[in-house]
Amino acid sequence: MAKKKTLFECQSCGFQTPRWMGKCPSCNEWESLIELNSEQIKFLKETSTISTQTNTNKAKPITEINEDNVTRFSSGSRELDLVLGGGIVPGSLTLIGGSPGVGKSTLLLKIAGNLAKTNKKVLYVSGEESAGQIKLRANRLDANHDALYLLPEISLSSVIAEISSKSYEFIIIDSIQTLYSDETPSAPGSVTQVRTITFDLMRIAKSMHIPIFIIGHITKDGSIAGPRVLEHMVDIVLYFEGDTNSELRLLRGFKNRFGSTNEVGIFEMNKHGLNDAKSMAGKFFDKEKLQSGSALTVIMEGSRPIIIEVQALVSESYGHAKRSSTGFDNNRLNMLLALLEKKLDLPLGTHDVFINISGGVKVNEPSADLAIIAAILSSYRDRELSAETLFLGEVSLTGEIREVSSLSQRIKEIETQGFKKAIVPTKPIENSNIKCFIADEVSKIVEWIFI
Ligand SMILES: Nc1ncnc2c1ncn2[C@@H]1O[C@H](COP(=O)(O)OP(=O)(O)OP(=O)(O)O)[C@@H](O)[C@H]1O
Ligand SMILES: [Mg+2]
């Protein structure tokens, strides 16, 4: 009797193996391998032979090739245009990921409304909500327009038929995990489904020059649910961040084939939807409410400086000392604590230390190190830091305070926001009214931080 062929596929990265394993050797995810049935194996075999047979393009010298005409158009949102690198590129496939309720559908429906008002024919495909539900949201966002079409549908073939029936100029898919291709014998949201659908949408975007935005749900660890291959296939990957308790949302570029990923879009959620934040100044801190354990610093989000509040809580530990941080790298926190213990003789090994960056901001640059140290010292001594002073500097393993990028721009923001003092690693080049204290060693700042 012929031996039955089995194939297991990782639901996280698409890795395939004939043997079941508890942990995927490709992406290290646990219990992500599921067995494919004979129909699914047959489908995979067929699609792999089709792709080798249809490859008939001939290579040409690069000098004979005309470049693509990238004429961007505005999405009607200054912040989204900034993250995209100057506007929407026709024929591009963009993936927007974000946790539940962060505002993905709200943002894209608003953009759909903006574009419809410029007489672009827009198709909003929703597999999650009914047309009536979306209409309710559109009323709230003031996104009603004749040129905006809604299609509550989960079947990819119906979506493709609709796209072919009218000359749409912008398409939104909400969400990729709910679409279903009849040609693929797996459940919606599975690796094979998501891969096939994205491939088809990519073909439509490129061949018809229509920009397509896809919404993707994210898993608990913050990556797009479904295969990582999704991120590789699309042109642009954007992530929505933000604390659902605060009204601010950050849209961060993770990958962009048409621009840089340095810029961050900042939006405000209110009852009229998600709008461009008018000014970020003062959104991430409250000068009047600073208490012991809070320190202010300036981080650069793309080309923009933002003043943020860093909070620390140091309390005596009854057992194994805990260290936990939200919005800041835990390993870096451990390094700073070890440094404080060694250089300043602080008995932090017997204390729990918690760090939080207010407003749901994630700090990805080392310039906030000094502020973290100041907040820890402030909480440990239970003494408030001056609400007029900001802390800037990267701290090295030797306790040296290193310079930060764009110092003059950061100091200018501090001045604009009405602060008076800053503890910095080097003297800023440009003159300002800010009194700068130059600190080059961690051991030296202790005498200065409570000034
Ligand atoms: N009437 C309202 N007034 C103010 N804010 C609202 C109102 N209705 C919804 N919201 C806000 O919009 C958010 C939901 O936004 P949205 O549905 O766009 O999120 P989503 O990211 O698409 O979520 P999901 O992943 O569940 O689809 C809510 O969390 C809430 O903050
Ligand atoms: Mg939604």
Side-chain angles (χ1 to χ4, degrees):
M1 206 171 83
K3 204 173 161 215
K4 191 178 152 228
K5 284 225 168 85
T6 53
L7 193 61
F8 294 87
E9 187 174 57
C10 170
Q11 292 305 292
S12 173
C13 69
F15 174 80
Q16 288 169 350
T17 165
R19 211 160 42 85
W20 187 84
M21 283 179 251
K23 183 181 178 186
C24 170
S26 171
C27 67
N28 294 330
E29 192 73 31
W30 285 95
E31 290 186 37
S32 61
L33 290 159
I34 60 153
E35 187 175 0
L36 301 181
N37 59 33
S38 54
E39 223 183 315
Q40 290 167 333
I41 298 174
K42 196 165 144 239
F43 172 78
L44 281 175
K45 274 194 188 144
E46 280 169 10
T47 44
S48 65
T49 46
I50 290 167
S51 61
T52 49
Q53 281 163 8
T54 50
N55 187 9
T56 52
N57 268 349
K58 292 271 181 293
K60 278 192 212 162
I62 194 164
T63 45
E64 287 177 18
I65 294 171
N66 297 327
E67 72 260 24
D68 281 352
N69 184 12
V70 180
T71 322
R72 296 170 187 266
F73 61 86
S74 171
S75 64
S77 155
R78 184 195 64 223
E79 297 293 317
L80 180 63
D81 286 352
L82 185 75
V83 185
L84 292 174
I88 299 170
V89 177
S92 61
L93 191 60
T94 305
L95 176 67
I96 295 196
S99 44
V102 76
K104 302 177 293 291
S105 309
T106 308
L107 175 71
L108 289 190
L109 189 61
K110 178 86 186 162
I111 301 301
N114 291 348
L115 291 174
K117 283 175 189 166
T118 62
N119 280 325
K120 282 201 181 330
K121 208 172 262 183
V122 181
L123 177 65
Y124 189 106
V125 179
S126 178
E128 304 195 332
E129 292 165 289
S130 67
Q133 216 174 334
I134 302 168
K135 167 81 181 170
L136 208 63
R137 184 181 291 133
N139 287 344
R140 193 159 50 86
L141 305 182
D142 185 25
N144 285 315
H145 195 279
D146 288 346
L148 171 56
Y149 289 74
L150 297 185
L151 178 66
E153 184 58 71
I154 60 161
S155 156
L156 181 69
S157 49
S158 309
V159 173
I160 294 179
E162 178 60 37
I163 295 172
S164 326
S165 72
K166 289 193 192 75
S167 49
Y168 287 110
E169 290 161 276
F170 187 68
I171 298 169
I172 291 163
I173 306 289
D174 186 3
S175 65
I176 187 81
Q177 280 90 359
T178 51
L179 269 198
Y180 177 81
S181 166
D182 315 323
E183 291 165 20
T184 312
S186 340
S190 67
V191 184
T192 328
Q193 280 286 355
V194 169
R195 200 165 35 196
T196 317
I197 294 164
T198 312
F199 184 72
D200 281 348
L201 291 174
M202 178 63 110
R203 237 170 1 100
I204 293 170
K206 302 290 164 205
S207 62
M208 299 171 81
H209 283 278
I210 311 174
I212 303 183
F213 274 59
I214 303 173
I215 291 179
H217 292 289
I218 63 168
T219 55
K220 265 189 256 128
D221 65 352
S223 57
I224 301 268
R228 266 246 115 98
V229 282
L230 190 56
E231 288 179 355
H232 296 292
M233 288 167 85
V234 299
D235 296 313
I236 301 166
V237 181
L238 308 175
Y239 277 101
F240 236 136
E241 291 172 6
D243 182 359
T244 35
N245 297 321
S246 103
E247 80 268 23
L248 282 166
R249 304 282 186 275
L250 303 184
L251 186 64
R252 208 180 279 281
F254 178 74
K255 158 185 171 175
N256 191 346
R257 285 182 180 153
F258 303 103
S260 90
T261 49
N262 286 338
E263 295 298 348
V264 173
I266 304 182
F267 298 88
E268 270 173 305
M269 177 74 100
N270 57 31
K271 65 177 187 303
H272 301 299
L274 206 53
N275 295 314
D276 294 350
K278 284 196 184 64
S279 158
M280 289 161 299
K283 296 277 182 206
F284 299 98
F285 67 92
D286 189 345
K287 217 169 160 181
E288 309 302 319
K289 287 190 184 160
L290 288 188
Q291 294 183 2
S292 66
S294 291
L296 298 175
T297 187
V298 192
I299 55 165
M300 295 299 291
E301 282 293 7
S303 54
R304 298 183 290 195
I306 305 179
I307 299 182
I308 56 160
E309 181 187 337
V310 169
Q311 298 160 349
L313 175 66
V314 180
S315 68
E316 213 168 315
S317 161
Y318 299 96
H320 183 66
K322 288 191 207 70
R323 275 98 220 299
S324 155
S325 49
T326 311
F328 188 75
D329 181 24
N330 225 19
N331 290 332
R332 202 151 183 96
L333 169 65
N334 282 325
M335 184 276 269
L336 294 176
L337 291 173
L339 193 79
L340 285 178
E341 193 145 7
K342 188 159 176 113
K343 296 279 174 186
L344 303 183
D345 255 345
L346 294 185
L348 292 171
T350 55
H351 287 74
D352 293 336
V353 181
F354 303 96
I355 297 288
N356 179 46
I357 312 291
S358 66
V361 179
K362 288 197 178 82
V363 174
N364 296 319
E365 54 167 328
S367 69
D369 288 354
L370 198 59
I372 298 274
I373 286 187
I376 291 172
L377 285 172
S378 163
S379 176
Y380 177 71
R381 298 202 174 159
D382 202 11
R383 266 182 79 183
E384 272 172 49
L385 298 168
S386 156
E388 292 302 333
T389 312
L390 280 94
F391 300 87
L392 290 168
E394 171 181 352
V395 178
S396 76
L397 282 179
T398 54
E400 187 191 338
I401 302 175
R402 300 243 170 105
E403 59 184 285
V404 297
S405 61
S406 321
L407 183 61
S408 298
Q409 222 180 323
R410 296 182 205 237
I411 295 287
K412 206 164 155 211
E413 176 70 8
I414 297 176
E415 194 176 359
T416 318
Q417 295 305 314
F419 290 94
K420 297 199 173 65
K421 289 177 267 182
I423 298 191
V424 290
T426 45
K427 196 171 179 310
I429 306 160
E430 283 165 39
N431 285 336
S432 74
N433 293 327
I434 300 291
K435 193 163 179 353
C436 288
F437 296 84
I438 318 287
D440 53 3
E441 268 290 326
V442 163
S443 49
K444 286 188 195 159
I445 64 155
V446 185
E447 53 197 280
W448 283 357
I449 66 166
F450 296 108
I451 48 176

